[in-house]
Amino acid sequence: MRKIVLFSLSVLLFASCNKKQLAQLNKEKAELQALLDKNKADCDALTSKLNNDISDLKNQIKLKDGDVTNERAKLKALEDELAYLKRTNTNLLDRLSDLSIVSKDGAESIKKSLDALNRQSSYIQDLNSNLRRKDSLNLALVMSLKRSLDNVNDEDVNIEVKKGVVYISLSDKMLFKYGSYEITPQAETVLSKIAKVVNDRKDFDILVEGHTDSVPYNSASVLEDNWDLSAKRATSVVRTLQKKYSVAPERMTAGGRGEYVPKVANDSSKNRSVNRRTEIVILPKLDQFFQMFEGGK
């Protein structure tokens, strides 16, 4: 009888231990599933953002391809016209020389004209090559900036190529408190990433433009109006880039545009928020840009 009791107790003890182990295993399984679900959600969000960035870049590449196609068509037309003129002038010169009708000075003048046409053709080809190189540099710069600012809210930062240069538009709410021109700590993080990119590319200058909405500026400070506020915000960004992140001051220009270059109509609170912005324009150095034209003179 005693053996039966001991056996029963052993069975009960074993069952109790198994239940505890099973409960522990179920708990660990639930924790692992929760972690797996969280990782999957993070992965899906990152994948979605990367797909959006890739789609934006593909659209910009398509636009650039269209511009390059148009420029190539124009260049081809010019080259065909130049080739026709050279053939015509060469034939005319040969005929005049054969008939001894043209004087030596006249023949020399025609020859100089042909040389000028050849130089012009070479200049057009070089210019087209430089323009394509500039577009490639802009695209590489945009991709670098997007990677650097990947974790910043898309509503606060917009990067695009307009008029052949790169624009970084920073929202007013991220950079400054309302009506203020003091940089916020959140904005300093963004500016540090932009500074790192531009410091790696010494061949570009930086233009910082402040923009406001159309609401008149009212404050007890020394600022008189939106002109003053937009200019002061631009210089605040420039000083931060220079003093905290070592961007060379001779590369930068600060300017205030006030309310006079809105992106959208100032007819709603949402639109006014869009117009309150600071734009950092990254553009090639002017002396290097004009050197492209000097070769054709």
Side-chain angles (χ1 to χ4, degrees):
M1 181 67 179
R2 182 178 179 184
K3 290 181 178 179
I4 294 174
V5 171
L6 290 174
F7 178 75
S8 300
L9 289 174
S10 298
V11 170
L12 291 174
L13 181 60
F14 180 75
S16 175
C17 290
N18 282 345
K19 287 182 180 179
K20 289 181 180 179
Q21 290 176 350
L22 182 59
Q24 178 64 26
L25 289 173
N26 287 334
K27 179 181 178 183
E28 292 177 356
K29 178 182 178 182
E31 291 175 349
L32 288 173
Q33 185 63 44
L35 180 60
L36 180 61
D37 292 342
K38 181 179 182 302
N39 287 342
K40 184 177 183 303
D42 292 343
C43 183
D44 290 343
L46 180 59
T47 299
S48 176
K49 182 170 181 60
L50 288 175
N51 286 336
N52 289 337
D53 288 345
I54 291 172
S55 178
D56 290 343
L57 289 174
K58 285 182 177 179
N59 290 334
Q60 291 189 34
I61 291 172
K62 287 181 180 178
L63 291 175
K64 288 301 173 185
D65 286 342
D67 292 341
V68 170
T69 299
N70 291 335
E71 292 300 324
R72 284 177 177 171
K74 293 178 182 177
L75 178 60
K76 182 64 169 57
L78 287 172
E79 289 174 341
D80 291 343
E81 184 178 354
L82 286 171
Y84 171 75
L85 290 174
K86 286 192 287 186
R87 288 195 303 270
T88 301
N89 286 337
T90 300
N91 292 335
L92 179 60
L93 181 59
D94 291 341
R95 290 173 61 190
L96 291 175
S97 297
D98 292 340
L99 296 174
S100 301
I101 296 176
V102 68
S103 66
K104 182 179 178 181
D105 291 341
E108 186 66 25
S109 176
I110 294 176
K111 188 175 180 180
K112 288 181 180 179
S113 296
L114 289 174
D115 291 340
L117 287 173
N118 289 331
R119 287 195 300 272
Q120 185 179 13
S121 176
S122 176
Y123 167 65
I124 292 173
Q125 292 175 355
D126 290 342
L127 181 58
N128 190 55
S129 175
N130 285 329
L131 290 174
R132 286 198 299 268
R133 177 177 176 273
K134 181 175 70 68
D135 288 341
S136 298
L137 290 174
N138 282 341
L139 183 58
L141 179 59
V142 167
M143 294 177 67
S144 180
L145 287 166
K146 282 183 175 289
R147 284 195 300 268
S148 180
L149 300 172
D150 179 65
N151 61 338
V152 181
N153 192 330
D154 289 342
E155 293 182 356
D156 293 328
V157 179
N158 181 48
I159 303 169
E160 59 183 333
V161 177
K162 295 190 303 183
K163 304 174 184 177
V165 295
V166 177
Y167 278 73
I168 310 170
S169 183
L170 306 176
S171 69
D172 169 82
K173 64 180 180 180
M174 181 193 69
L175 283 175
F176 311 101
K177 293 180 180 179
Y178 186 79
S180 171
Y181 52 84
E182 294 184 3
I183 302 291
T184 65
Q186 177 189 2
E188 290 185 357
T189 301
V190 174
L191 292 177
S192 70
K193 295 180 178 181
I194 295 174
K196 186 178 185 305
V197 173
V198 299
N199 278 334
D200 290 338
R201 289 163 173 79
K202 306 297 185 183
D203 292 339
F204 290 91
D205 281 335
I206 301 103
L207 170 63
V208 180
E209 293 183 346
H211 298 263
T212 68
D213 57 25
S214 60
V215 177
Y217 178 76
N218 293 313
S219 175
S221 70
V222 295
L223 303 181
E224 293 186 12
D225 51 23
N226 283 333
W227 273 114
D228 278 357
L229 178 61
S230 63
K232 193 67 176 175
R233 285 179 168 179
T235 54
S236 293
V237 171
V238 165
R239 287 195 182 98
T240 300
L241 291 174
Q242 175 193 357
K243 295 182 178 179
K244 290 197 172 186
Y245 307 115
S246 303
V247 179
E250 61 270 17
R251 297 176 58 194
M252 296 189 288
T253 302
R257 306 300 298 272
E259 65 203 65
Y260 302 107
V261 191
K263 297 187 77 171
V264 293
N266 284 290
D267 54 6
S268 68
S269 176
K270 181 179 179 180
N271 282 357
R272 286 191 291 273
S273 177
V274 171
N275 289 330
R276 294 193 302 271
R277 68 200 188 278
T278 298
E279 293 185 336
I280 299 177
V281 188
I282 305 177
L283 61 164
K285 292 181 180 293
L286 290 179
D287 55 347
Q288 296 180 6
F289 183 76
F290 286 119
Q291 282 175 5
M292 291 191 301
F293 299 94
E294 291 176 357
K297 291 182 179 179

